[in-house]
Amino acid sequence: MAVAVHRTIAGRSLGGCRMWHYATADDAVADVERLASSMSSKAAAAGLGIGGGKGVVALPDTAPDPEQRRDALHDFADLVESFGGRYFTAQDVGVTLEDVVFMAGFTDYVTGHPVEDGGSGDPSPYTAHGVEIAIRASLGGRPLEGRRIVVVGLGHVGGELARRLARAGARLAVSDVDPRRRELADELGAEWVADPAEALFLDADLIAPCALGGVLDEESVPRLNAPVVAGAANNQLAHDGIGELLHDRGVLWAPDFVANAGGLIAVSDELHGFDRARVERRIAAIGDTLGEVYARTTTSTLAAAKELAAERLGTA
Ligand SMILES: NC(=O)c1ccc[n+]([C@@H]2O[C@H](COP(=O)([O-])OP(=O)(O)OC[C@H]3O[C@@H](n4cnc5c(N)ncnc54)[C@H](O)[C@@H]3O)[C@@H](O)[C@H]2O)c1
């Protein structure tokens, strides 16, 4: 397991704990470092006044039994505690709200507590809400009705996003490596795309990557058939140069760390005493931030978003 603190502001950094499979320990460390850095950009772009950190717990090849899993979470909580408040942890891929409650028994430096304890609860619905706002801003603020939108990854965020888009009248196509997610597609009357590798390349108004990162690279970008990409997945670009590739191809990409900030906005709010109205205001501002990013883009939306984040950090 590893914790990376990319930056502290007023002595604090924040970012969820991810439980995931890694081929090597070096891969896990590289991932936690990259994720912590993007948490810094995310917090800065959203003007949250906190630095970026992240944790990973690398899973063994065979699924751990419940007791081993609890022991690992206990160890991770002790590791968080050892940072003395410089790193706050929360939920991320592979970690549940119950896990957060469990870890809070061993360290105070946990955010995203259950709603009944005065916390934000599961951050995913907030993230999905923010991504919907990002999608609307990226489509020029026009109604979503009749727009063909492809959601790739129907997990906590992608599933809730698909529900929201269906309610708004979008023509949905959805995909997931887990065939059980087809149930949700049927429930929403969405087209089910059996091969998630192909979903990215469908003819559509917008693609929303909501699974894991790295999906946009030298091979996938030339094959895109949608003018806009805006989704929840962290680190969608294989590397920063892909930002220019997207721009040169005329694809409008909503920088992930701006679009998916809703969850961070919610869990970080606990540090000031959770206030739902303040959280909703900040999530609504994701649309304005993206508008500013698009207006100032010259070489890539990534460069523009990083520039904006750096400016906001200067005033944080
Ligand atoms: N949960 C949050 O609040 C939050 C906040 C910010 C960013 N994110 C990012 O959003 C993404 C999704 O998060 P989540 O919480 O919904 O995770 P999740 O684990 O609940 O869902 C991920 C889904 O993607 C599917 N999937 C995995 N590989 C796939 C592939 N190659 N093609 C298609 N589907 C695939 C999984 O089966 C699963 O249904 C992650 O990149 C996460 O880091 C999440």
Side-chain angles (χ1 to χ4, degrees):
M1 54 185 62
V3 163
V5 174
H6 177 259
R7 172 193 288 138
T8 57
I9 293 180
R12 299 194 291 201
S13 72
L14 169 58
C17 168
R18 175 171 292 194
M19 270 198 168
W20 195 244
H21 293 277
Y22 294 95
T24 68
D26 284 349
D27 288 351
V29 171
D31 199 36
V32 78
E33 287 180 348
R34 228 161 38 107
L35 289 164
S37 159
S38 77
M39 292 307 289
S40 281
S41 304
K42 194 181 300 195
L48 297 179
I50 192 158
K54 200 82 182 183
V56 297
V57 177
L59 290 169
D61 291 338
T62 49
D65 64 40
E67 203 177 325
Q68 284 173 316
R69 198 173 172 284
R70 275 169 64 95
D71 285 349
L73 285 166
H74 186 167
D75 284 348
F76 184 77
D78 286 345
L79 179 60
V80 171
E81 180 67 19
S82 75
F83 280 76
R86 279 182 300 138
Y87 168 65
F88 280 74
T89 198
Q91 230 183 307
D92 194 55
V93 176
V95 170
T96 65
L97 190 57
E98 292 72 45
D99 295 337
V100 165
V101 172
F102 177 72
M103 288 194 285
F106 307 103
T107 176
D108 290 338
Y109 307 121
V110 172
T111 61
H113 289 90
V115 175
E116 54 274 26
D117 297 340
S120 64
D122 177 3
S124 309
Y126 295 100
T127 305
H129 185 193
V131 175
E132 182 194 351
I133 286 168
I135 285 175
R136 289 178 182 275
S138 304
L139 289 173
R142 290 182 294 274
L144 298 182
E145 202 164 359
R147 296 302 193 103
R148 181 161 155 84
I149 298 179
V150 182
V151 179
V152 188
L154 285 184
H156 289 93
V157 181
E160 172 64 17
L161 176 67
R163 285 180 195 280
R164 284 178 163 272
L165 298 176
R167 277 202 297 274
R171 281 190 301 130
L172 279 185
V174 296
S175 193
D176 198 294
V177 283
D178 182 348
R180 286 172 304 179
R181 306 280 185 221
R182 186 176 187 150
E183 258 177 49
L184 180 62
D186 294 343
E187 182 193 322
L188 300 178
E191 178 190 339
W192 172 254
V193 183
D195 182 1
E198 285 308 310
L200 216 53
F201 309 118
L202 292 178
D203 205 349
D205 292 302
L206 183 143
I207 306 288
C210 295
L212 291 180
V215 287
L216 298 172
D217 60 18
E218 278 87 356
E219 280 180 22
S220 62
V221 169
R223 295 183 59 206
L224 291 172
N225 283 305
V228 187
V229 177
N234 275 315
N235 295 336
Q236 289 167 31
L237 308 189
H239 59 84
D240 283 4
I242 302 298
E244 275 134 56
L245 194 60
L246 285 158
H247 185 73
D248 294 346
R249 265 219 71 203
V251 175
L252 185 69
W253 177 66
D256 41 23
F257 61 82
V258 179
N260 70 17
L264 177 64
I265 289 170
V267 297
S268 68
D269 203 72
E270 279 185 23
L271 302 178
H272 318 288
F274 186 70
D275 175 349
R276 185 176 291 270
R278 177 171 55 205
V279 169
E280 295 299 335
R281 274 198 308 278
R282 283 192 155 148
I283 291 177
I286 289 175
D288 304 328
T289 300
L290 272 180
E292 221 176 311
V293 167
Y294 296 152
R296 65 161 70 193
T297 294
T298 51
T299 57
S300 73
T301 54
L302 174 65
K306 283 195 163 181
E307 191 186 280
L308 185 69
E311 279 175 25
R312 290 190 174 173
L313 194 58
T315 58

